Amino acid sequence: MFNKNKNQKGFMMVELIVISAVLMIIVIAASYVAKKSIEVSSRTLHTMQAGFLLEEGAEVMRVLRDTNFDNVDPAIEGSSNQYLTLVSGTWSLVDAPQTNGIFTRIINIYPVYRDSTTADIVTSGGSLDIGTSKITITVSWPEGTETLSKSLSFYLSDLF
């Protein structure tokens, strides 16, 4: 009987080691899932914020167009990267990089060319349409070890 009790003590020790190993695996897996969940949530939040900054940039460009089309004239397209800044309640484009938290929003203004027969916008050839500009807004931000970005392109015409 003494030997049986000694074997039971040894078996209990093995059970404790197995239970400890299983619990450690569960804790490690749970912490990995929590870490990944936080990373995905952070990336989703930043992507949504970038989308809002793109929308805001498009609205500001429309306001600048409505104020004076020269604000979005392709003539200022020569300096490839423009940045939006708000000074005393007035939006304007500047050459100096502007950041909003971790986000950088870049505005590029391109001339638009149209086919002389169909008046369709073309990527090469055609005649310059001085009343239309192509706007590309790009928002970029650091995410971990990489830099992510979202872009929005649209056309603005001189309506007034």
Side-chain angles (χ1 to χ4, degrees), residues 49-61:
Q49 289 173 324
F52 291 140
L53 287 169
L54 285 173
E55 288 180 38
E56 179 187 53
E59 290 300 320
V60 168
M61 293 306 293

Side-chain angles (χ1 to χ4, degrees), residues 104-156:
T104 301
R105 178 173 42 200
I106 301 170
I107 312 285
N108 289 302
I109 303 171
Y110 302 102
V112 173
Y113 295 89
R114 294 189 180 270
D115 183 277
S116 56
T117 308
T118 63
D120 290 339
I121 294 174
V122 293
T123 55
S124 64
S127 56
L128 178 63
D129 179 357
I130 59 169
T132 305
S133 296
K134 181 179 179 183
I135 311 295
T136 300
I137 303 171
T138 304
V139 175
S140 59
W141 68 97
E143 192 73 52
T145 59
E146 59 186 334
T147 299
L148 301 179
S149 66
K150 286 183 77 168
S151 292
L152 173 66
S153 293
F154 57 95
Y155 295 95
L156 286 179

